[in-house]
Amino acid sequence: MTAGPVLPALAGAVAARAGLAAARALDARPAGAPWRRTNYAGRPVTLLGGPALAVAATAGAALGAPVGTRGAAVVAGAVSGLVGAYDDLAGARPEQARDKGLAGHLRALRAGRVSAGAVKVAGIGAAAAVAALLTRRDRGLADAVLTTGLVAGTANLVNLLDLRPGRAAKAGALAAAATVGGPAGGLVAGPLGAALAVLPDDLGERVMLGDSGANALGALLGLRLAAVPSRPARAGLLAVVSALTLASERISFTRVIEATPGLRELDRLGRRPA
């Protein structure tokens, strides 16, 4: 890591730890009850780790972003975290139980209902489009479409990984570490620090990232991918993100990870036994 990204990475980490402390204080009060969930192993956790990560990652991204992308980072991270938090809360209602995934959102619309997930998708899409307009690179329609698709698509993809403790945070941290170099690398330095700071509590099953944390982290990663200079490379990245998203409708990522040596061990690293 070069000297440039160090400060936003540290700021992201410090902000995330402060957010987790606030989350623990709120979870101990009645106001924290709507955020409580039972995870895949039957253990009680709080979704308040998500807003803590979203705020810290967004602030760190804005601090490290190159001139011309700071506004885009704030819009992409903040709005994705906000509508993700809405889905975390509203999506837990009994009438929303079947409105999961693209197919579930479409079924709800056909039935005359707007699912919480559909609201989230629309909000992230709008934020991605605004981020594209705010990014100086996007001087043409093709660039704007690629940026919008990468921000919204990566936000959704990281959220699809948040099915086991630490999975989304690990994936986000690895992606941020791989792209932290270069002129636009400061965009993901803060999210990298924030993800690593939240990871121990995520693996320890004290918090979950939920839609709020995973969507915000993914949106900021997508904004970094949109800063890749080569347009064909960005188009290829969007194709990969889109293909994985479509595949998730039919293929279980968890089954694929469990069946793949290397991925299985990385996924389980640091996690408590089920």
Side-chain angles (χ1 to χ4, degrees), residues 41-199:
R43 299 184 180 112
V45 296
T46 177
L47 287 169
L48 287 168
L53 174 60
V55 171
T58 301
L63 180 63
V67 175
T69 58
R70 289 171 183 164
V74 171
V75 170
V79 175
S80 297
L82 183 63
V83 295
Y86 170 77
D87 193 23
D88 283 332
L89 295 175
R93 297 169 184 166
E95 66 271 19
Q96 300 273 346
R98 294 194 302 171
D99 300 340
K100 302 299 180 184
L102 179 61
H105 302 327
L106 292 175
R107 280 196 304 269
L109 288 173
R110 284 196 295 267
R113 293 182 294 105
V114 178
S115 67
V119 172
K120 182 190 72 171
V121 169
I124 292 175
V130 172
L133 293 175
L134 292 174
T135 303
R136 289 182 179 178
R137 157 190 299 280
D138 299 321
R139 297 175 181 174
L141 180 60
D143 286 326
V145 169
L146 288 173
T147 296
T148 301
L150 282 169
V151 172
T154 310
N156 182 62
L157 183 58
V158 173
N159 188 41
L160 292 174
L161 295 174
D162 190 37
L163 296 176
R164 292 293 184 272
R167 182 180 293 171
K170 286 177 185 175
L174 287 171
T179 57
V180 78
L187 264 170
V188 290
L192 172 59
L196 291 175
V198 169
L199 186 57

Side-chain angles (χ1 to χ4, degrees), residues 14-25:
V14 170
R17 294 310 302 177
L20 289 174
R24 285 192 293 271

